């Protein structure tokens, strides 16, 4: 295949303990470490491996967001992507709008495969890939843990609640990465230098003329109910009697 | 008035309890009329099960060969057609619903409310974000259909005893052939189902091998519990993926959860927040799991677990 398009979302790093702002207007993101969404890193790693096996010739990374997302695109280029596209906007976008943006980039680039993460760990939506596949009118293979190609079709193993499901899809298609698809490589310093010379195109959101659906309004943010720290027992008999006290044995 | 359509999840012979949980979520919307759609190769028996769920007013039975295995690309155009005349379309927030519902939403031109945990009104909901570290109140537009997934751990299954009417339905939707089902590989087990069990015992990286996991199985069998695992244990290949509990595994709400040799990473805790009682067994007294545990025991699991199993025998 020719091209693989990979989505990279800039999100709060997964190691950060996210806190809700005191006034409930959102979560604290000032001065917080930002990274590539971990599932997107896995999606990119998979795309690179497909290219390195000689099954694809170009890997393009796409991010939608403010100019700060250039950082994540540069990391993607350092990992090995060939070029990057930033669709720049200061607006907070909903998944359907993002899917429509992907669709309009697809119309320009005609990729054979779009690899996304299964979900962005900020909003935990788990929607964009499925929505894109719907408006593109193409197959979707979500929660992928293994992908193999045979000509114009792909076999994808999916992590589902009941186990591992395998489906066969025609290309082009959307595949979303689950955690066990692969383990992403580390970026080496020389690669970071090289990445500075790779092309990074910026397209203003307005240029794409994407129609915006009615958004779901987020009216208030609250911290979750906290569980109280309980008791410590000293030994197994202590545990057994504590469980009996609660009527659990 | 709210006219809610729920998409049933099933394995072709039995409805998944996620369906009755979605019904119980929908029932919290005032004056809701609830229809359940069953898409299968032969939907008749399943439709009977759906009709028996309390709160269901109508069951739409859609029998079609293409529905022999649930695939989003095939079901979504059918569900989008069925959505006509409904104010809401709900599915469970299981891998089935997560795969299907956003595809339906996009076909209907709307965004999706993912993981409803609280219903505040016909268009007002609460949902978790940032692995459950924040809860956001959302309002869906009132002039469009609401497509949503229901966080099943937040709702009790609606009881049986209903007698809804069953309507055999045919849908005039174009079914694509670009997506084909191949196979399902699932670790057959006689143990209780992880997602519905009252008691769950999970093992973590500390188990160190799949052989060592036997001590967890033995204890679980003694207690009639289902067995789960942390991501580290799954990644290391000690147990199959469907046993993973957490943000990217199963979100569960058993009465009793016992975490053995699990450190308590936020992504793991996301999956067990709604458990009744959490017990932690860990040799490190500083392990974060003790911050949320109702009962904690510090020590070596390789001594504690066999001792506990034996204590339960006598
Ligand atoms: C995007 C993302 C999603 C994730 N989703 C999930 C998810 O869904 N579920 C999940 O579980 N994780 C998930 N993780 C991984 C998570 O961050 C942790 O890495 C993982 O939960 C750790 O598993 P663990 O507790 O078994 O291992 P560790 O963190 O290594 O903990 C092992 C524990 O065992 C204890 N121990 C060791 N030996 C003994 C002994 N002999 N007796 C008693 N105790 C002992 C240690 O003190 C330690 O606390 C996710 C991570 C990311 C980045
Ligand atoms: N702003 C964005 N820029 C690039 N990719 C995105 C963006 N938002 C979502 N995606 C992709 O869509 C996947 C699913 O996101 P979500 O539906 O928000 O959970 C992510 O893992 C990314 O691969």
């Amino acid at each position: 295949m020719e091209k693989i398009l990979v989505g990279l979302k800039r999100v709060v790093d997964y190691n950060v303990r996210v806190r809700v702002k005191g006034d409930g207007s959102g979560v604290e993101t000032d001065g917080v470490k930002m990274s590539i969404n971990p599932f997107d890193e896995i999606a990119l790693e998979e795309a690179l491996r497909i290219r390195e096996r000689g099954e694809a010739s170009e890997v393009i990374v796409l991010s939608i967001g403010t100019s700060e997302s250039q950082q994540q695109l540069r990391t993607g280029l350092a990992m090995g992507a060939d070029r990057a596209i930033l669709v720049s906007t200061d607006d907070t976008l909903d998944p359907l709008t993002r899917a429509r943006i992907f669709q309009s980039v697809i119309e320009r680039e005609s990729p054979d495969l779009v690899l996304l993460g299964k979900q962005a760990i900020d909003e935990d939506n788990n929607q964009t890939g499925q929505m894109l596949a719907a408006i593109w009118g193409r197959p979707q293979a979500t929660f992928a843990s293994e992908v193999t190609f045979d000509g114009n079709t792909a076999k994808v193993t999916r992590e589902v609640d009941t186990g591992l499901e395998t489906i066969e899809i025609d290309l082009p298609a959307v595949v979303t990465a689950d955690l066990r698809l692969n383990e992403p490589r580390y970026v080496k310093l020389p690669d970071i230098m090289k990445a500075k010379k790779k092309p990074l195109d910026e397209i203003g959101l307005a240029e794409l003329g994407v129609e915006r659906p009615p958004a779901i309004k987020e009216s208030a943010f609250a911290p979750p109910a906290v569980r109280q720290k309980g008791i410590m027992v000293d030994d197994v008999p202590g545990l057994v009697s504590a469980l009996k006290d609660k009527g659990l044995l | 008035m709210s006219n809610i359509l729920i998409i049933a999840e099933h394995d072709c012979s039995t409805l998944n309890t996620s369906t009755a949980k979605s019904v119980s979520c929908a029932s919290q919307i005032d004056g809701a009329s609830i229809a359940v759609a069953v898409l299968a190769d032969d939907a008749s028996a399943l439709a009977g099960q759906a009709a028996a769920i309390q709160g269901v007013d109508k069951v739409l039975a859609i029998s079609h060969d293409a529905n022999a295995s649930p695939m989003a690309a095939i079901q979504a155009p059918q569900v989008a057609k069925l959505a006509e005349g409904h104010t809401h379309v709900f599915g469970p927030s299981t891998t089935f619903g997560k795969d299907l519902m956003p595809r339906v939403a996009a076909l209907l031109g709307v965004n999706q409310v993912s993981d409803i945990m609280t219903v505040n009104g016909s268009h007002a909901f609460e949902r978790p974000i940032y692995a459950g570290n924040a809860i956001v109140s959302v309002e869906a537009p009132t002039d469009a259909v609401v497509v949503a997934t229901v966080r099943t751990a937040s709702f009790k299954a609606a009881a049986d005893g209903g007698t809804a009417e069953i309507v055999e339905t045919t849908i005039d939707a174009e079914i694509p052939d670009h997506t084909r089902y191949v196979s399902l590989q699932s670790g057959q087990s006689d143990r209780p189902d992880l997602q519905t069990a009252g008691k769950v015992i999970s093992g973590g990286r500390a188990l160190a091998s799949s052989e060592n996991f036997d001590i967890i199985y033995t204890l679980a069998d003694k207690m009639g519990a289902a067995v789960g695992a942390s991501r580290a244990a799954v990644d290391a290949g000690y147990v199959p993926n469907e046993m993973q509990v957490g943000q990217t595994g199963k979100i569960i709400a058993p009465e009793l959860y016992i975490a053995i040799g699990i450190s308590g990473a936020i992504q793991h805790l996301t999956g067990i927040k709604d458990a009744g009682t959490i017990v932690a067994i860990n040799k490190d007294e500083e392990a974060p799991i003790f911050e949320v545990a109702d009962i904690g025991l510090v020590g070596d699991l390789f001594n504690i677990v066999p001792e506990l199993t034996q204590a339960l025998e006598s």
Side-chain angles (χ1 to χ4, degrees):
Chain A
M1 73 188 110
E2 275 295 303
K3 286 184 200 175
I4 305 177
L5 179 66
V6 179
L8 297 186
K9 189 178 190 200
R10 172 185 167 90
V11 299
V12 171
D13 187 85
Y14 81 95
N15 283 310
V16 172
R17 181 132 218 154
V18 169
R19 281 179 213 293
V20 174
K21 287 185 189 160
D23 64 0
S25 64
V27 301
E28 203 61 73
T29 49
D30 282 353
V32 160
K33 184 178 178 207
M34 303 296 284
S35 300
I36 298 178
N37 181 42
F39 294 100
D40 301 358
E41 220 179 323
I42 295 169
L44 174 54
E45 175 65 36
E46 195 64 18
L48 297 174
R49 290 183 190 189
I50 295 166
R51 191 195 61 196
E52 285 159 5
R53 288 201 302 264
E55 293 183 310
S57 29
E58 191 180 27
V59 174
I60 307 164
V61 284
L62 167 65
S63 192
I64 305 161
T66 64
S67 57
E68 289 178 310
S69 299
Q70 286 187 10
Q71 284 167 22
Q72 281 63 43
L73 288 172
R74 287 286 170 208
T75 307
L77 291 170
M79 277 177 72
D82 298 290
R83 62 189 169 93
I85 302 172
L86 172 66
V87 173
S88 59
T89 171
D90 290 334
D91 296 357
T92 320
L93 300 177
D94 50 280
L96 184 54
T97 302
R98 283 187 251 133
R100 287 176 177 172
I101 292 170
F102 267 95
Q103 170 67 17
S104 72
V105 173
I106 285 172
E107 281 159 15
R108 296 177 170 208
E109 299 283 351
S110 311
D112 306 280
L113 178 67
V114 178
L115 264 164
L116 303 181
K118 79 163 175 179
Q119 81 194 62
I121 60 161
D122 48 4
E123 297 251 306
D124 286 333
N125 274 317
N126 199 329
Q127 301 182 18
T128 308
Q130 297 87 314
M131 289 182 155
L132 171 60
I135 52 190
W136 193 14
R138 295 304 307 164
Q140 71 187 47
T142 51
F143 327 143
S145 67
E146 198 185 342
V147 187
T148 55
F149 299 93
D150 183 7
N152 225 15
T153 66
K155 247 198 196 130
V156 183
T157 303
R158 309 178 50 233
E159 294 205 13
V160 295
D161 289 338
T162 42
L164 294 172
E165 183 193 270
T166 305
I167 60 173
E168 189 183 69
I169 54 176
D170 293 339
L171 299 177
V174 178
V175 173
T176 75
D178 213 320
L179 288 173
R180 277 173 283 275
L181 183 57
N182 59 52
E183 229 177 281
R185 66 195 64 189
Y186 286 102
V187 175
K188 293 185 230 68
L189 197 60
D191 298 329
I192 297 174
M193 302 313 290
K194 254 192 281 171
K196 291 198 172 129
K197 296 200 193 75
K198 290 186 181 174
L200 192 163
D201 292 331
E202 196 167 325
I203 310 174
L205 175 57
E207 246 179 88
L208 294 176
V210 168
E211 201 190 317
R212 305 272 288 266
I216 290 168
K217 223 173 75 201
E218 300 190 323
S219 50
F221 295 76
V226 280
R227 292 187 74 101
Q228 296 305 319
K229 193 173 157 71
I231 56 159
M232 297 300 286
V233 294
D234 295 327
D235 49 20
V236 169
L239 175 57
V240 171
S241 72
L243 287 172
K244 281 195 175 137
D245 286 349
K246 288 183 176 270
L248 291 166
L249 279 183
Chain B
M1 212 195 70
S2 298
N3 212 341
I4 304 177
L5 179 68
I6 291 169
I7 312 306
E9 176 173 10
H10 59 81
D11 64 2
C12 278
S13 63
T14 325
L15 276 194
N16 190 299
T17 48
S18 64
T19 309
K21 290 179 176 180
S22 303
V23 170
S24 114
C25 171
S27 303
Q28 293 187 9
I29 294 177
D30 283 340
S33 159
I34 300 175
V36 173
V38 178
L39 288 83
D41 48 353
D42 177 1
S44 48
L46 291 160
Q49 295 171 30
I53 301 173
Q54 261 178 36
V56 176
D57 299 294
K58 189 161 81 177
V59 176
L60 306 175
I62 301 100
S63 298
H64 192 298
D65 287 345
N67 293 330
S69 310
M71 283 182 292
I74 289 176
Q75 295 201 345
Q78 302 176 61
V79 174
K81 279 271 159 84
L82 286 174
E84 281 166 28
H86 291 93
T87 55
H88 299 64
V89 186
F90 283 3
S93 188
T94 54
T95 51
F96 162 77
K98 286 175 176 171
D99 188 38
L100 173 64
M101 301 309 288
R103 190 159 181 131
V104 171
L107 292 177
L108 297 173
V110 296
N111 276 292
Q112 169 183 286
V113 179
S114 298
D115 305 315
I116 293 178
M117 59 185 289
T118 308
V119 174
N120 290 331
S122 63
H123 292 73
F125 310 98
E126 288 170 29
R127 58 173 300 254
I129 55 173
Y130 288 95
N133 283 312
I135 309 299
V136 60
S137 301
V138 298
E139 273 159 55
T142 47
D143 55 357
V145 59
V146 179
V147 175
T149 58
V150 175
R151 184 176 182 273
T152 47
S154 299
F155 298 91
K156 291 223 160 19
D160 266 357
T163 49
E165 73 167 311
I166 298 175
V167 186
E168 303 277 343
T169 309
T170 50
I171 308 169
D172 173 30
E174 206 179 313
I175 294 176
D177 58 7
H178 54 47
T179 305
R180 296 168 293 275
Y181 181 82
V182 179
S183 62
L184 174 70
Q185 181 199 332
S186 63
Q188 294 295 333
S189 151
D190 300 332
R191 296 196 174 81
D193 175 51
L194 182 54
Q195 264 163 320
T196 50
K199 295 174 182 167
V200 173
I201 302 182
S202 285
R205 192 199 311 270
L207 269 300
S209 74
S210 54
E211 292 74 39
N212 288 346
F213 239 86
D214 282 346
I215 62 171
I216 303 286
Y217 293 122
T218 311
L219 175 60
D221 292 346
K222 186 105 286 146
M223 296 184 71
V227 178
S230 70
R231 176 188 165 194
V234 176
D235 283 359
Y238 307 157
V239 293
N241 71 289
E242 64 263 31
M243 282 170 56
Q244 182 173 316
V245 173
Q247 182 188 13
T248 48
K250 287 179 177 143
I251 312 269
I252 56 173
E255 252 180 274
L256 173 63
Y257 185 77
I258 307 185
I260 300 177
I262 291 178
S263 60
I266 37 176
Q267 295 89 0
H268 188 80
L269 300 184
T270 305
I272 58 169
K273 279 203 168 102
D274 297 293
T277 296
I278 296 177
V279 174
I281 298 171
N282 196 302
K283 70 173 183 189
D284 173 10
E285 59 182 315
E286 303 281 308
I289 188 80
F290 288 123
E291 294 301 315
V292 299
D294 300 284
I295 308 172
L297 174 54
V298 177
D300 188 333
L301 76 90
F302 293 106
N303 299 327
I304 292 173
V305 175
E307 197 187 331
L308 180 57
T309 309
Q310 212 168 23
L312 296 177
E313 260 157 29
S314 50

